[in-house]
């Protein structure tokens, strides 16, 4: 199925189903996806099959483009609810990520002080002290946890390197509640394997992880755009509501995006 890439460093603003009026920042290349996961549901498609030299957008250019766009929005009478790091892969892979967060906070405070800053991350870079510290500075630190079982997450997210669920949960818990957990629920088949992270066993294990992590909020959602794998199925709203009720019973505010 058709997928797409973000062709600019700063894009939007767009109306986000989770965050409101969102001005996006893409720290990854504009000509390919670059991620530490290769999720089978990713709207940006697959990572390149062959490795090649990556030219990250330099920090000074990201700041320049963001400042330019924020000033344009003032002139046009637009106000962002949130400045969101997303784009063509994992934003925390950028070698200057921590400094870019500092620049963004500076610009936000000067131009749109009421806007939040959000990072949508797959949680694979939080072992790095500078990334961890930077994520603790933003209002919406949104980190992925796509299942209760390690193998389920591997099947869904296709890590480029190794993935250890126990270590990931431990690192997430170190934010001491200063994070939102984001989980995509999906069913289907891939490479001859059944894909389903909505079973009761899976949900029970996932809830156990949430109780260790203690996030301030949980976002649950399902696919809404084209994916690179055509055998995946959207989870219906009633199922998402069932899962959300279980999360609420566990004590965590929950947001559903159907």
């Amino acid at each position: 199925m058709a997928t797409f890439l973000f062709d600019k460093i700063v894009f939007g603003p767009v109306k986000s189903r989770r965050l409101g009026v969102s001005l996006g920042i893409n720290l990854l290349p504009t000509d390919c996806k670059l991620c530490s996961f290769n999720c089978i549901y990713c709207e940006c498609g697959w990572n390149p099959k062959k490795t090649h030299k990556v030219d990250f957008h330099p920090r000074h250019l990201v700041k320049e483009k963001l400042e330019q766009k924020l000033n344009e929005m003032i002139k046009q009478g637009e106000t962002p609810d949130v400045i969101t790091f997303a784009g063509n892969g994992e934003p925390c892979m950028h070698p200057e990520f921590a400094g870019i967060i500092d620049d963004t906070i500076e610009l936000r405070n000067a131009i749109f002080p009421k806007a939040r800053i959000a990072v949508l991350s797959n949680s694979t870079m939080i072992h790095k002290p500078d990334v961890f510290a930077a994520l603790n500075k933003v209002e919406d630190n949104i980190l992925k946890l796509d299942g209760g079982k390690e193998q389920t997450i591997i099947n869904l997210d296709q890590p480029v390197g190794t993935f250890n669920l126990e270590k990931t949960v431990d690192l997430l818990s170190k934010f001491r509640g200063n994070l939102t957990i984001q989980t995509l629920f999906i069913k289907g088949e891939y490479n001859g394997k059944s894909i389903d992270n909505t079973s009761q066993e899976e949900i029970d294990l996932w809830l156990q992880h949430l109780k260790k992590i203690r996030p301030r909020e949980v976002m649950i959602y399902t696919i809404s755009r084209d994916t690179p794998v055509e055998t995946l199925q959207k989870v219906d709203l009633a199922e998402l509501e069932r899962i959300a009720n279980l999360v609420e019973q566990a004590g965590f505010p929950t947001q559903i995006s159907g």
Side-chain angles (χ1 to χ4, degrees):
M1 300 172 76
T3 53
F4 73 94
L5 294 171
F6 296 93
D7 61 0
K8 297 178 180 178
I9 296 174
V10 179
F11 58 92
V14 298
K15 181 65 176 177
S16 166
R17 54 185 175 148
R18 286 163 282 171
L19 299 171
V21 178
S22 173
L23 182 65
I25 300 179
N26 170 43
L27 297 183
L28 290 309
T30 55
D31 61 346
C32 71
K33 174 185 168 182
L34 182 67
C35 195
S36 47
F37 278 170
N38 205 19
C39 298
I40 63 175
Y41 58 76
C42 183
E43 63 190 36
C44 295
W46 303 113
N47 285 326
K49 292 184 178 180
K50 295 183 179 180
T51 57
H52 64 282
K53 185 178 182 295
V54 176
D55 293 318
F56 288 97
H57 308 304
R59 174 180 172 179
H60 72 85
L61 183 59
V62 175
K63 184 176 182 179
E64 175 186 315
K65 293 293 185 183
L66 179 58
E67 185 172 19
Q68 178 183 334
K69 183 62 179 180
L70 292 175
N71 284 322
E72 284 179 9
M73 292 181 72
I74 288 178
K75 292 178 182 178
Q76 294 168 359
E78 295 179 300
T79 301
D81 293 315
V82 61
I83 300 167
T84 307
F85 287 83
N88 300 331
E90 172 51 50
C92 299
M93 291 177 66
H94 195 294
E96 297 181 289
F97 175 76
I100 290 170
I101 289 294
D102 287 340
D103 293 341
T104 303
I105 292 171
E106 176 189 333
L107 290 172
R108 183 276 307 275
N109 290 347
I111 302 173
F112 286 111
K114 293 184 179 180
R116 307 187 312 278
I117 296 172
V119 179
L120 303 181
S121 170
N122 65 19
S123 308
T124 58
M125 299 289 122
I126 58 176
H127 63 284
K128 296 185 174 182
D130 61 333
V131 170
F132 186 90
L135 290 173
N136 257 321
K137 296 177 182 179
V138 305
E139 288 78 16
D140 295 316
N141 173 26
I142 303 172
L143 296 167
K144 178 189 294 291
L145 185 66
D146 271 349
K149 297 179 182 179
E150 183 170 282
Q151 191 58 53
T152 298
I153 294 173
I154 290 171
N155 290 343
L156 274 174
D157 297 343
Q158 301 286 308
V160 174
T162 59
F163 176 79
N164 184 292
L165 178 56
E166 183 179 359
K167 181 179 179 181
T168 298
V169 170
D170 180 61
L171 287 168
L172 290 168
S173 71
K174 293 185 185 304
F175 283 102
R176 299 186 182 280
N178 185 30
L179 78 164
T180 294
I181 289 294
Q182 176 179 261
T183 303
L184 181 136
F185 289 100
I186 198 167
K187 298 180 182 181
E189 184 179 298
Y190 177 63
N191 278 350
K193 295 179 180 178
S194 174
I195 300 293
D196 185 359
N197 61 347
T198 69
S199 70
Q200 194 57 53
E201 180 186 12
E202 192 77 43
I203 297 298
D204 287 344
L205 290 170
W206 176 70
L207 288 170
Q208 289 179 29
H209 301 324
L210 293 182
K211 290 173 182 177
K212 293 177 183 176
I213 297 166
R214 308 298 302 176
R216 63 174 169 232
E217 185 180 26
V218 177
M219 289 181 174
I220 65 173
Y221 67 118
T222 190
I223 53 175
S224 64
R225 301 185 179 96
D226 287 342
T227 64
V229 175
E230 296 186 1
T231 51
L232 302 178
Q233 303 165 19
K234 183 175 182 175
V235 174
D236 64 34
L237 182 58
E239 183 74 359
L240 292 178
E241 288 175 341
R242 181 188 74 83
I243 296 168
N245 285 336
L246 294 172
V247 179
E248 294 276 355
Q249 289 171 24
F252 307 110
T254 309
Q255 183 182 146
I256 299 174
S257 297

